[in-house]
Structures are given as C-alpha cells and as structure tokens.
Amino acid sequence: CSLQRRHQKVIEEAPAPGMDEATREDICTAAVRAAKAVDYEGAGTIEFIADASEGLRADRIFFMEMNTRLQVEHPVTEEITGVDLVEWQLRVASGEEIPLKQDELSIKGWAMEARLYAEDPAKGFLPSTGLLEEFYAGGYRARIETGVEKGSAISPFYDPMIAKIVVHAATRGEAISELQGELDGLLVHPIRSNAGFLWRCLNEPEFKSAHLDTGFIERKGDSLIPPTLPSQAFLDIAASAAIL
C-alpha cells in the first residue's frame, strides 16, 4: 500500500518496490506460519508495517494485523500471480483443496491500483454526492472494478469509492504510465472525483523513484490538488475541438 491519506489507502501496488527475494520469502513464510498457527481456512490477509529507513529488511518489518477476508487491493496480487483469489475462496469454502501449493506461485510483471473516490480534493476531500450523469472508464489497458454506472446515485450513506482502476505491465514505470493514461481518459460528471489528484500523485518524482512512506501525501500538501477551474489554454483547445 504505497500511498495513504489519513490511514486510508490511495495507491496500491505489487510487488513491493525495493523488497529483495530473501525479504519477500521471510515475510511470506511468516504469513503462512500465522495462518497455520490458528488452523485458518479460507481467504485472509496478513498485514505488516515496515520501517524502510534502512531499506526493506525482514528484521525491520513487523506484524500488524490479520483480516479474515480478501482486501480491496487483492486485484494487484491476482494480476502478478495469475491467480483468481475469489475463485479460490469459493473452492476452499466448498471443501476443495487450494489449486496451487506455495512453491508453485510466482510473480510476473508489476500491478498497480488506484482507488477512484467520489470526493472533492479542493474541498478537503469531502464526499461528492448526487446523480452520476456521466461515467466512463475505458479499461482498454486496465481492469475496472466498480459497482456503479452512468445514472447511478452516489449516496452519502456509504463509502465514496466508486471504482478501482488496476493495471498490469512488465515494469513499475510502465504500470505508472498506463495508470496515468487510464486516469486521463476517465469521465465522471457532475460528481467530483479524485482522478486528477491520483494522477498528480503518480507523477511525483519521489513516487516514480519509489521513495515512499505513509506521510508522503501530507508532506506534498496542496501541490497534489489540481486546479478547480481549467486554464485558458485548455478552454481554447476545448473550444477548437468543439468547433471542428
């Protein structure tokens, strides 16, 4: 979970940038031991918190909690492993064996997920509610997971996340570019969304070089908030396109 705002995850990715194979093996082994210790069956997520001030090392990564379910970010794991975790969850619940053993799993490429929220970054990330008159997420290069469509009502009574945008590419740099491309093509109207904010997070040099910590967004502050009104140059281009 690379970027967080007020303890809420914003950008998630897999594999963890900067983690070597030895550290990954130690962490995965610890997770398996934790599940075995309580005879756990079914889908679950073991969470760790890392002190990466001296690089990602197993002795600087600490157990935080276990959630007895799949998490919002499970698609990035599915994308790099080629495993359908939801299918596995149903199979195990039906009494079947897990299709693959631990040593049969492998990582391919890089996956990244952005949480698209119905919120207004310019107004302190307040939820934006009402009728979703226009909603388009192309998904040409991305996996789009959403529970709404054009014409849906965005209610104040539920979490304001309206979609997860997930990409999978050969490298981290390519994944960032593809995710930015998907955010560029989004259409959410008149509900306000955090799409521009997400794009700016991905575009930060520190993010691209994977110099990350939980205080990243707070440090960057207003520099990550897109302007509320388009520039005159943008309006000129839009007018020209409309005339043509």
Side-chain angles (χ1 to χ4, degrees):
C1 303
S2 293
L3 294 187
Q4 300 182 24
R5 189 185 68 82
R6 298 174 187 168
H7 308 293
Q8 175 65 58
K9 298 162 188 174
V10 176
I11 302 285
E12 294 132 330
E13 61 182 308
M19 181 177 285
D20 59 35
E21 288 300 324
T23 302
R24 181 176 293 108
E25 179 65 27
D26 286 344
I27 297 305
C28 289
T29 299
V32 172
R33 285 204 312 269
K36 287 182 175 180
V38 294
D39 295 325
Y40 187 75
E41 292 185 12
T45 308
I46 310 284
E47 290 196 15
F48 298 87
I49 189 165
D51 174 1
S53 57
E54 299 176 9
L56 283 178
R57 305 196 323 252
D59 64 345
R60 305 295 293 168
I61 299 176
F62 310 95
F63 172 81
M64 188 165 66
E65 64 181 2
M66 177 176 181
N67 288 295
T68 53
R69 57 179 169 78
L70 293 178
Q71 302 253 102
V72 172
E73 64 272 18
H74 78 268
V76 294
T77 300
E78 292 186 334
E79 291 295 319
I80 64 168
T81 59
V83 165
D84 186 332
L85 292 175
V86 176
E87 178 188 346
W88 280 25
Q89 181 180 26
L90 295 172
R91 288 185 178 278
V92 171
S94 300
E96 297 182 26
E97 294 290 324
I98 293 177
L100 295 175
K101 296 185 182 299
Q102 186 71 21
D103 59 6
E104 295 177 298
L105 297 172
S106 60
I107 291 173
K108 181 179 180 181
W110 210 282
M112 196 165 288
E113 171 181 298
R115 299 190 184 194
L116 181 69
Y117 282 100
E119 62 185 12
D120 190 347
K123 294 183 179 179
F125 294 90
L126 286 175
S128 181
T129 60
L131 191 66
L132 195 57
E133 295 178 10
E134 298 290 344
F135 177 53
Y136 174 77
Y140 297 115
R141 299 181 299 274
R143 165 179 171 175
I144 309 295
E145 300 200 344
T146 182
V148 300
E149 59 186 0
K150 181 179 177 179
S152 294
I154 303 298
S155 165
F157 304 114
Y158 301 99
D159 186 279
M161 185 168 64
I162 57 177
K164 296 186 290 184
I165 305 167
V166 189
V167 298
H168 180 240
T171 66
R172 187 173 187 270
E174 290 175 14
I176 291 172
S177 295
E178 290 197 9
L179 188 49
Q180 285 186 296
E182 292 296 325
L183 292 168
D184 270 332
L186 277 175
L187 175 59
V188 180
H189 179 79
I191 301 298
R192 302 291 297 177
S193 84
N194 66 336
F197 166 77
L198 293 169
W199 193 96
R200 287 186 168 214
C201 286
L202 294 167
N203 206 49
E204 282 290 320
E206 287 178 54
F207 183 86
K208 290 184 175 182
S209 60
H211 289 130
L212 307 166
D213 61 73
T214 54
F216 180 93
I217 289 175
E218 281 71 23
R219 280 199 312 277
K220 296 296 178 181
D222 290 344
S223 67
L224 298 176
I225 308 299
T228 55
L229 296 175
S231 66
Q232 186 59 49
F234 184 91
L235 291 173
D236 290 345
I237 293 171
S240 298
I243 292 170
L244 292 174

